[in-house]
């Protein structure tokens, strides 16, 4: 028997498209088609994370909703696996496919701002950084995550936890409406009145329900912020006190603290390179600079800062320029926990010291505020009362090394687990169905599976953190 090519789920691949099918398809779409023999194919198949060296049969850089419907029809009729790519940052490599079709949204970047009405319609090929730069020109913002190159497609559908989470909630809390092309190729406008079930599901249920072509977001006045990077020595007391201060801080302040080995960056003194430090990002998004200075002062006072770059700045400066050629390989685990006291901090430091990965990190995001006031059943993101999101990660360079790094993150995550645990779908890797289920309480999962059955009964959108359609009773 010859080799049977398999897709990412280990299923045998459908037959490749024949020339006539590709020609017929290409005559119907406006967007560019890229096949393995084409110039630009390698660049087009590259995703943010290294380690996903997959060769799609066809990449389509769609231009409009009709293109999207046509790509969906091609996937449906051919049986080929369909990957949907917005910003390409899937931690699980879901925006590329071996032998399937990539629906690449990166050329759909239209943004319509209603400055007076404080809303924006944004096509899903935009990145968080591009959207933020455009809205900041009017002193306005919608909250996304900590990285500008992340696509608004993936982050929004997962929930969206970032620098405005305590002040303005998750990204989905600012989602007013969306346009979605479903598995049957139909373009639906979804909001609180129209297809409310689907509107509920896409606010945390990921890419399971269709291709989101546009989102309508609420905009907030976010102009000058006080924030930036603060690097502190990593001791159990400083870590625990950092968390206490972050919980006690005004809601205008959101923090992301990375306990990690200090990289050899020029702004860090040579003697701390490779040492464990707290590399924290702070954003105070309130009206008064003085109030922001007061809010960040307790963090500066936790220990003699190694680096203190906290300052008044324009909001988009929080997304510094990125290197397009940076494609890290990493394994990570995500969870929610309730407490980080000095015992837990001690565990964090011990586990980090026990690894020899050149780059390893425990990331602490204190939640609460506006995000926590939304009822758990209001959106498919249900972890509203979770107090802290915790992510642990190790970078690796070779596949041999990967297994050891994976064992380390698993042990680390187990050591930190408190109660139910849970998971943020946006940070899940390829970790199996049980972990996808951990992203949703049972009632949320059941409701999502039922909505999936109605909108995607054949599970066409399966290359994602998959919620299989409920079986009809
Ligand atoms: C460096 C880095 C930093 C991150 N920081 C944060 C953070 O601070 N906060 C946070 O909440 N998350 C964060 N994430 C997680 C991130 O939100 C998810 O990985 C997200 O899925 C990436 O979106 P994307 O559009 O770039 O990815 P893609 O790989 O393009 O998409 C990921 C998946 O989302 C679905 N999808 C994407 N676009 C669409 C669409 N238009 N229609 C239907 N389905 C779609 C598909 O299933 C796809 O496989 C980070 C990820 C990385 C790599």
């Amino acid at each position: 028997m010859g080799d049977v090519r398999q897709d990412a789920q280990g299923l045998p691949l459908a037959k490749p498209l024949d020339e006539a099918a590709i020609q017929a398809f290409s005559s119907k779409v406006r967007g560019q088609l890229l096949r393995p023999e084409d110039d630009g194919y390698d660049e087009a198949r590259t995703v943010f994370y290294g380690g996903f060296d997959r060769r799609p049969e066809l990449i389509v850089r769609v231009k409009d909703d009709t293109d999207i419907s046509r790509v969906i029809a091609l996937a449906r009729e051919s049986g080929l696996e369909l990957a949907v790519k917005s910003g390409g940052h899937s931690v699980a490599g879901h925006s590329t496919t071996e032998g399937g079709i990539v629906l690449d949204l990166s050329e759909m970047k239209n943004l319509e701002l209603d400055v007076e009405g404080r809303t924006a319609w944004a096509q899903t090929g935009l990145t968080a950084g591009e959207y933020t730069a455009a809205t900041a020109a009017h002193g306005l913002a919608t909250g996304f995550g900590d990285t500008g190159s992340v696509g608004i497609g993936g982050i929004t559908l997962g929930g969206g936890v970032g620098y405005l989470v305590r002040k303005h909630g998750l990204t989905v809390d600012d989602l007013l409406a969306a346009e979605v092309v479903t598995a049957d190729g139909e373009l639906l406008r979804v909001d609180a009145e129209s297809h409310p079930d689907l509107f509920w599901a896409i606010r945390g249920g990921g890419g399971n329900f269709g291709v989101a072509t546009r989102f309508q977001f609420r905009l907030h006045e976010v102009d000058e912020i006080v924030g930036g990077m603060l690097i502190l020595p990593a001791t159990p007391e400083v870590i625990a006190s950092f968390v206490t201060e972050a919980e006690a801080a005004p809601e205008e302040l959101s923090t992301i603290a990375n306990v990690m080995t200090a990289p050899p960056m020029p702004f860090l003194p040579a003697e701390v390179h490779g040492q464990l430090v707290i590399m924290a990002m702070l954003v105070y998004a309130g009206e008064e600079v003085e109030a922001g200075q007061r809010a960040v002062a307790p963090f500066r006072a936790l220990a003699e800062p190694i680096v203190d770059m906290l300052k008044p700045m324009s909001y988009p400066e929080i997304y510094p320029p990125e290197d397009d050629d940076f494609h890290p390989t990493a394994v990570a685990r995500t969870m929610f926990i309730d407490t980080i006291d000095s015992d837990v901090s001690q565990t964090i430091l011990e586990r980090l010291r026990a690894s020899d990965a050149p780059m390893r990190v425990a990331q602490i995001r204190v939640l609460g505020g506006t995000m926590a006031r939304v009822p758990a059943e209001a959106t498919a993101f249900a972890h509203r009362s979770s107090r802290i999101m915790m992510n642990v990660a190790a970078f690796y360079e070779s596949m041999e090394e990967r297994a050891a790094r994976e064992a380390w993150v698993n042990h680390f995550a187990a050591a930190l687990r408190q109660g139910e645990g849970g998971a943020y779908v946006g940070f899940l890797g390829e970790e199996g169905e049980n972990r996808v289920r951990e992203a949703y309480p049972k009632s949320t999962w059941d409701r999502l599976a039922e909505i999936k059955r109605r909108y995607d009964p054949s599970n066409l959108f399966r290359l994602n953190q998959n919620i299989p359609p409920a079986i009809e009773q």
Side-chain angles (χ1 to χ4, degrees):
M1 248 173 58
D3 282 348
V4 178
R5 290 201 310 157
Q6 297 179 334
D7 68 16
Q9 267 105 26
L11 299 171
L13 287 181
K15 274 209 330 269
L17 297 164
D18 62 32
E19 207 48 44
I22 294 201
Q23 288 311 324
F25 174 76
S26 93
S27 68
K28 286 190 260 172
V29 291
R30 289 180 58 220
Q32 185 189 10
L33 270 54
L34 286 141
R35 299 170 67 192
E37 60 278 15
D38 291 332
D39 287 349
Y41 170 82
D42 280 327
E43 194 199 321
R45 75 186 179 92
T46 304
V47 288
F48 174 77
Y49 275 110
F52 299 111
D53 185 20
R54 298 188 185 139
R55 300 184 65 80
E57 160 109 12
L58 181 67
I59 300 168
V60 189
R61 287 195 170 136
V62 290
K63 289 266 193 216
D64 55 26
D65 302 341
T66 312
D67 276 4
I68 294 174
S69 293
R70 297 231 150 97
V71 176
I72 290 175
L74 183 69
R76 206 175 46 230
E77 285 150 20
S78 65
L80 288 174
E81 184 174 65
L82 178 63
V84 180
K85 180 178 179 189
S86 172
H89 278 53
S90 164
V91 180
H94 284 155
S95 37
T96 183
T97 155
E98 183 61 42
I101 303 169
V102 175
L103 191 163
D104 178 347
L105 290 149
S106 61
E107 294 201 350
M108 289 183 59
K109 289 186 188 283
N110 190 48
L111 180 65
E112 284 170 26
L113 288 179
D114 174 358
V115 173
E116 240 160 64
R118 300 266 186 283
T119 61
W121 271 108
Q123 284 189 323
T124 50
L126 286 161
T127 64
E130 290 164 344
Y131 177 102
T132 303
T135 60
H138 305 276
L140 301 172
T142 304
F144 295 100
D146 66 359
T147 301
S149 56
V150 165
I152 66 165
I155 192 167
T156 304
L157 296 168
V161 184
Y163 292 128
L164 304 180
V165 67
R166 284 162 54 83
K167 174 69 177 157
H168 295 301
L170 302 172
T171 306
V172 287
D173 298 332
D174 282 327
L175 187 67
L176 302 171
E179 289 175 354
V180 179
V181 182
T182 48
D184 57 7
E186 206 184 332
L187 177 69
L188 302 181
R189 150 94 192 213
V190 304
D191 57 29
E193 269 82 49
S194 170
H195 302 282
D197 52 351
L198 191 51
F199 185 50
W200 174 85
I202 61 167
R203 285 176 290 161
N208 275 283
F209 305 94
V211 178
T213 67
R214 292 208 300 166
F215 293 129
Q216 187 189 33
F217 292 113
R218 187 185 296 119
L219 289 161
H220 302 278
E221 276 178 57
V222 180
D223 204 356
E224 196 176 33
I225 59 158
V226 177
M229 190 187 283
L230 178 70
I231 303 187
L232 297 167
T235 67
E237 294 71 34
V238 178
I239 296 170
S241 306
F242 188 101
V243 172
T244 307
E245 292 298 344
E247 287 181 324
E251 288 179 10
E252 283 76 8
L253 187 75
S254 296
T255 59
I256 299 179
N258 294 298
V259 186
M260 61 189 285
T261 40
M265 284 175 159
F267 59 84
L268 280 168
E271 62 273 18
V272 301
H273 294 175
Q275 302 294 313
L276 290 174
V277 295
I278 306 173
M279 195 182 268
M281 296 296 294
L282 278 66
V283 169
Y284 178 89
E287 278 168 26
E288 305 281 329
V289 167
E290 293 71 33
Q293 296 286 17
R294 278 198 301 280
V296 301
F299 296 88
R300 287 180 154 140
L302 289 174
E304 176 78 30
I306 300 166
V307 171
D308 181 350
M309 296 190 195
L310 297 173
K311 60 175 183 160
M313 60 164 92
S314 72
Y315 181 57
E317 282 180 67
I318 208 70
Y319 294 136
E322 291 174 53
D323 175 359
D324 290 345
D325 295 326
F326 179 56
H327 297 292
T329 39
V331 276
R333 290 293 175 266
T334 180
M335 77 204 84
F336 293 102
I337 61 175
D338 294 324
T339 320
I340 299 187
D341 56 15
S342 50
D343 283 353
V344 176
S345 306
Q346 186 69 46
T347 304
I348 291 173
L349 290 173
E350 277 167 16
R351 294 285 163 165
L352 286 167
R353 284 197 193 104
S355 167
D356 61 356
M359 186 71 107
R360 51 204 195 268
V361 57
Q363 183 183 74
I364 302 164
R365 296 177 181 225
V366 169
L367 305 172
T370 301
M371 171 211 146
R373 283 192 291 276
V374 176
E377 60 286 355
T379 64
F381 180 104
H383 303 284
R384 299 290 181 167
S385 56
S386 298
R387 299 180 64 176
I388 299 167
M389 187 199 281
M390 184 90 208
N391 303 308
V392 297
F395 292 69
Y396 64 88
E397 257 140 45
S398 66
M399 284 319 271
E400 297 77 60
E401 197 189 336
R402 188 182 196 285
R405 303 301 175 218
E406 185 148 35
W408 178 80
V409 291
N410 281 334
H411 283 127
F412 197 170
L416 291 173
R417 193 176 170 102
Q418 295 168 4
E420 287 293 298
Y424 172 46
V425 75
F427 281 132
L428 278 180
E430 195 61 271
E431 298 171 42
E433 184 181 330
N434 284 345
R435 285 288 285 155
V436 186
R437 280 178 175 264
E438 277 201 77
Y440 306 101
K442 184 169 184 314
S443 56
T444 306
W445 176 271
D446 290 347
R447 194 170 161 191
L448 285 168
E450 178 53 27
I451 297 169
K452 175 81 172 175
R453 183 184 68 75
R454 277 188 274 131
Y455 289 96
D456 184 17
S458 68
N459 207 0
L460 179 77
F461 300 107
R462 61 185 176 278
L463 186 57
N464 45 37
Q465 300 299 350
N466 196 233
I467 300 163
I471 295 159
E472 205 163 355
Q473 299 299 319

